[in-house]
Amino acid sequence: MTVQLVAVLGMGVVDPRQPVITADDLGLTRGDGIFDATRVLTDADGHSVVEHLNRHLARLARSALVVELPTPDLGAISALVAEALAAWTTPGEAALKIVHTRGLEH
């Protein structure tokens, strides 16, 4: 069984069955976005940490610049990651994927 946790900027941790993407998000309709992934380690007490989060956030910002996406709010993303880590207590390894899209068509 795959266990998932979903967190969305402006919404926090949400039920993974809750729809959070709209049909006019350019990341969905055109693949216009970027992502970065890293490993999460959770100890037996349920304390989770992300390996090299600052490096991954810096790479996300560089990737956004290269493809001319709006600059991601790294402070808000970092806070959201902290919220997600507090909610993730399954011991072992997990993957964290941060997705940043151009957003909605105008």
Side-chain angles (χ1 to χ4, degrees):
M1 178 173 121
T2 302
V3 179
Q4 293 184 342
L5 184 137
V6 176
V8 180
L9 277 178
M11 298 174 74
V13 174
V14 299
D15 183 327
R17 298 166 297 206
Q18 176 182 341
V20 293
I21 299 173
T22 61
D24 58 350
D25 186 303
L26 295 175
L28 178 66
T29 61
R30 297 186 190 157
D32 191 4
I34 56 173
F35 73 91
D36 198 281
T38 186
R39 184 167 69 156
V40 174
L41 299 172
T42 307
D43 64 23
D45 294 327
H47 178 258
S48 299
V49 295
V50 175
E51 290 191 327
H52 312 293
L53 179 59
N54 289 334
R55 290 184 198 171
H56 288 278
L57 292 176
R59 183 168 47 219
L60 189 78
R62 286 192 307 273
S63 296
L65 183 65
V66 168
V67 298
E68 299 178 351
L69 281 174
T71 303
D73 183 340
L74 301 183
I77 293 171
S78 184
L80 183 62
V81 168
E83 182 179 345
L85 290 178
W88 184 258
T89 59
T90 304
E93 293 184 23
L96 169 70
K97 188 176 205 180
I98 301 170
V99 179
H100 178 63
T101 73
R102 192 168 306 277
L104 306 179
E105 291 191 66
H106 295 92

